[in-house]
Amino acid sequence: MMQEKNIVVIPGDGIGPEVTSAALTILHAAAGRTGMKCNCATHLAGGAAIDVHGIPLPPETVAAARAADAVLLGAVGGPKWDSVAPEIRPEKAILGLRKELGLFANLRPVKVTAAMSDYSPLKPERVSGVDILILRELTGGIYFGKRCESEMIDGVEHAWDTEQYSVPEVERIVRMAFQAAAGRRGKVTSVDKANVLASSRLWRRTAGKIAPEYPAIQLENMYVDNCAMQLVMAPKALDVVVTGNLFGDILTDEAAVITGSIGMLPSASLGSGTGLYEPIHGSAPDIAGKQIANPLGTILSVAMMFRHSLANEAAAVLIEKAVEKVLAAGYRTGDMMQDGLTRCSTNEMAEKVLAELQ
Ligand code: NAD
C-alpha cells in the first residue's frame, strides 16, 4: 500500500512562493518514485498572514503544522511590513513555530561539491569535498537567559545577559549529533568555551557522558575560537559539529559563507514535534516575483524533510544526486552564473532537477 504523508507548506513572502512552488514539483516527483504520496496543504505565515489576519502566525497555521508530518517554509519578511509593531513582525512567525513545535535543534548541512568550489571565497582545493552537518541548539543558552537592559552599579550603567544550559538540554542535542554521525563519517565535534564558561564545562561533561553510548563514533571537543579557525583552514576534517545557540548562530553563518552561495543551503529544525524545513536565505525582496531566485536551497530542504521526518532516505538521496548532476552539467540561476554556464530561471532549474530524477 502506498504510504501517505501530510505536509504543511508555508510559502511566506518575497521569493518564498516562487521557491516553494518550484520545490513542490520535486517533492511530489521524488515521493512518487519511492512509493509515497504527499498531501500538501498551504497555510499563511509572516507578512502574508499579517495582510489577511493582522498577525504573523495565525492559530490555524500552528494547528495544521502540529498535526502534519512536516512543514516546508519559504521565507518571511520584507520592507512592506517594516513599520508594523515589533510584537507582530513577520519574523515572529518563525520564532513562534519553533516554540509551538518544540524545535530544539537546527541542522545545517554545508556541502561543497567540485562543481561549486569556484564560488567559495576559499581556495577550491581547500573546500572541494567539504561535507559538514552543524547542529545548533535552538531554544536555550544566552538568547533565552535572564537579562538586564540597564542597571546602575556604583554610578556606572551596566547591561547583562546570562548563558545557562541544563543537562537534559545538552543530552538531547548531543544524542541527535551522535545519531547523525552514525549515518555519516562517524565523528562528532562538540564546540564550547569550556576554558572560560561554566555552562560550557557542563556542556563538555555531558557530551563526554553520552559518548560511551555510541562506541563507534569519535567525540572531539573543540573551543569555539579554534572551530572558527578550522572552518576556514581545514573544513574537510569536520563531520558533525554540535554546539549551543550563540556559538551555533555565528558558526553556521561562517560555514554558509565558505560555500559561497546563500541560495543553495537547506536547513531543518527538529525537536519533539513536527520538523520544519526551510532554505537558510531570507525573502530576498530585491528579486521577488522575477523568477530568478535560486530554488535549490528549498529543494535540498525537501531532501532533508524526506530524510529526517518522512523516513524516506531513498527520496532524499534521489534529490541530492539530481541536484549534483544539474550543477555538474553547468546549469545555474543568476546568483551563481559564470561565463560558459547555462542560465536558468527558478522554474527551469526545478525542471532540470526533475529531469534528473527520472
Ligand atoms: P536575504 O537572504 O533575503 O537576501 C540577501 C541577498 O541574497 C539578497 O541580495 C538576495 O537577493 C540574495 N538571495 C537570497 N536568497 C536568494 C536565492 N534563493 N536566490 C538568489 N539570490 C538570493 O536576506 P536579507 O536581504 O537580509 O533579508 C530580506 C528579508 O528576509 C528581511 O525581511 C529579513 O528579515 C527576512 N529574512 C527571513 C528569513 C527567514 O524567513 N527564515 C531569514 C533571513 C531573513
Short mmCIF file of all heavy atoms in Angstrom, two decimals, residues 111 300 303 314-327 353 356-357:
data_model
loop_
_atom_site.label_atom_id
_atom_site.label_comp_id
_atom_site.label_asym_id
_atom_site.label_seq_id
_atom_site.Cartn_x
_atom_site.Cartn_y
_atom_site.Cartn_z
N LYS A 111 27.80 21.68 2.30
CA LYS A 111 28.43 20.74 1.38
C LYS A 111 28.98 21.51 0.19
O LYS A 111 28.30 22.39 -0.34
CB LYS A 111 27.34 19.78 0.88
CG LYS A 111 27.75 18.35 0.89
CD LYS A 111 26.56 17.48 0.55
CE LYS A 111 27.06 16.12 0.12
NZ LYS A 111 26.01 15.18 -0.11
N LEU A 300 16.71 21.28 -1.66
CA LEU A 300 17.54 20.45 -0.77
C LEU A 300 16.93 20.37 0.64
O LEU A 300 17.16 19.40 1.37
CB LEU A 300 18.97 20.99 -0.72
CG LEU A 300 19.75 20.78 -2.04
CD1 LEU A 300 21.07 21.57 -2.03
CD2 LEU A 300 20.03 19.30 -2.30
N ALA A 303 14.75 17.48 0.47
CA ALA A 303 15.53 16.24 0.65
C ALA A 303 15.72 15.96 2.14
O ALA A 303 15.55 14.82 2.61
CB ALA A 303 16.88 16.35 -0.05
N ALA A 314 15.63 7.10 0.54
CA ALA A 314 15.79 6.91 -0.91
C ALA A 314 15.42 8.19 -1.66
O ALA A 314 16.13 8.62 -2.58
CB ALA A 314 14.93 5.75 -1.38
N ALA A 315 14.31 8.83 -1.24
CA ALA A 315 13.89 10.07 -1.91
C ALA A 315 14.90 11.18 -1.65
O ALA A 315 15.20 11.99 -2.54
CB ALA A 315 12.51 10.48 -1.41
N ALA A 316 15.44 11.23 -0.42
CA ALA A 316 16.43 12.26 -0.08
C ALA A 316 17.65 12.14 -0.99
O ALA A 316 18.11 13.12 -1.58
CB ALA A 316 16.84 12.14 1.38
N VAL A 317 18.14 10.92 -1.12
CA VAL A 317 19.34 10.69 -1.94
C VAL A 317 19.06 10.99 -3.41
O VAL A 317 19.88 11.60 -4.10
CB VAL A 317 19.84 9.24 -1.75
CG1 VAL A 317 20.97 8.91 -2.72
CG2 VAL A 317 20.31 9.02 -0.31
N LEU A 318 17.87 10.60 -3.86
CA LEU A 318 17.47 10.85 -5.25
C LEU A 318 17.56 12.35 -5.57
O LEU A 318 18.12 12.76 -6.59
CB LEU A 318 16.02 10.37 -5.41
CG LEU A 318 15.52 9.90 -6.77
CD1 LEU A 318 16.36 8.75 -7.28
CD2 LEU A 318 14.05 9.47 -6.65
N ILE A 319 17.02 13.16 -4.67
CA ILE A 319 17.02 14.62 -4.89
C ILE A 319 18.44 15.17 -4.84
O ILE A 319 18.86 15.95 -5.71
CB ILE A 319 16.13 15.34 -3.84
CG1 ILE A 319 14.67 14.94 -4.02
CG2 ILE A 319 16.28 16.86 -3.95
CD1 ILE A 319 13.73 15.44 -2.93
N GLU A 320 19.20 14.75 -3.83
CA GLU A 320 20.57 15.29 -3.69
C GLU A 320 21.44 14.94 -4.90
O GLU A 320 22.20 15.77 -5.39
CB GLU A 320 21.20 14.78 -2.38
CG GLU A 320 20.58 15.47 -1.17
CD GLU A 320 20.87 14.78 0.16
OE1 GLU A 320 21.42 13.65 0.16
OE2 GLU A 320 20.50 15.34 1.19
N LYS A 321 21.29 13.72 -5.38
CA LYS A 321 22.09 13.30 -6.56
C LYS A 321 21.65 14.09 -7.80
O LYS A 321 22.49 14.48 -8.62
CB LYS A 321 21.90 11.80 -6.82
CG LYS A 321 22.51 10.93 -5.74
CD LYS A 321 23.78 10.25 -6.27
CE LYS A 321 24.46 9.38 -5.25
NZ LYS A 321 25.21 10.09 -4.20
N ALA A 322 20.33 14.31 -7.93
CA ALA A 322 19.83 15.05 -9.10
C ALA A 322 20.38 16.48 -9.10
O ALA A 322 20.80 16.99 -10.14
CB ALA A 322 18.30 15.06 -9.09
N VAL A 323 20.40 17.12 -7.92
CA VAL A 323 20.92 18.49 -7.82
C VAL A 323 22.40 18.51 -8.21
O VAL A 323 22.86 19.37 -8.95
CB VAL A 323 20.70 19.06 -6.39
CG1 VAL A 323 21.48 20.36 -6.19
CG2 VAL A 323 19.22 19.28 -6.13
N GLU A 324 23.15 17.54 -7.71
CA GLU A 324 24.58 17.46 -8.05
C GLU A 324 24.78 17.36 -9.55
O GLU A 324 25.64 18.01 -10.14
CB GLU A 324 25.22 16.24 -7.37
CG GLU A 324 25.92 16.60 -6.08
CD GLU A 324 26.47 15.37 -5.37
OE1 GLU A 324 27.09 14.52 -6.04
OE2 GLU A 324 26.24 15.26 -4.14
N LYS A 325 23.96 16.50 -10.19
CA LYS A 325 24.10 16.30 -11.64
C LYS A 325 23.79 17.57 -12.42
O LYS A 325 24.46 17.91 -13.38
CB LYS A 325 23.16 15.17 -12.11
CG LYS A 325 23.71 13.79 -11.82
CD LYS A 325 22.83 12.75 -12.50
CE LYS A 325 22.92 11.42 -11.79
NZ LYS A 325 21.77 10.57 -12.00
N VAL A 326 22.73 18.28 -11.99
CA VAL A 326 22.33 19.52 -12.68
C VAL A 326 23.44 20.57 -12.57
O VAL A 326 23.76 21.25 -13.54
CB VAL A 326 20.99 20.04 -12.08
CG1 VAL A 326 20.70 21.46 -12.55
CG2 VAL A 326 19.86 19.11 -12.46
N LEU A 327 24.06 20.65 -11.39
CA LEU A 327 25.15 21.62 -11.21
C LEU A 327 26.37 21.21 -12.03
O LEU A 327 27.02 22.04 -12.67
CB LEU A 327 25.51 21.74 -9.73
CG LEU A 327 24.44 22.41 -8.86
CD1 LEU A 327 24.80 22.28 -7.38
CD2 LEU A 327 24.28 23.88 -9.23
N VAL A 353 16.19 19.68 -12.44
CA VAL A 353 16.31 18.70 -11.34
C VAL A 353 15.31 17.57 -11.55
O VAL A 353 15.64 16.38 -11.41
CB VAL A 353 16.09 19.39 -9.96
CG1 VAL A 353 16.13 18.36 -8.83
CG2 VAL A 353 17.15 20.48 -9.73
N GLU A 356 16.43 15.00 -13.94
CA GLU A 356 17.47 14.10 -13.40
C GLU A 356 16.89 13.11 -12.39
O GLU A 356 17.57 12.15 -12.01
CB GLU A 356 18.60 14.90 -12.75
CG GLU A 356 19.46 15.68 -13.73
CD GLU A 356 20.26 14.77 -14.68
OE1 GLU A 356 20.33 13.56 -14.43
OE2 GLU A 356 20.78 15.30 -15.68
N LEU A 357 15.65 13.33 -11.95
CA LEU A 357 15.02 12.39 -11.00
C LEU A 357 14.49 11.16 -11.73
O LEU A 357 14.18 10.16 -11.11
CB LEU A 357 13.84 13.04 -10.29
CG LEU A 357 14.07 14.04 -9.15
CD1 LEU A 357 12.72 14.53 -8.64
CD2 LEU A 357 14.84 13.41 -8.00
#
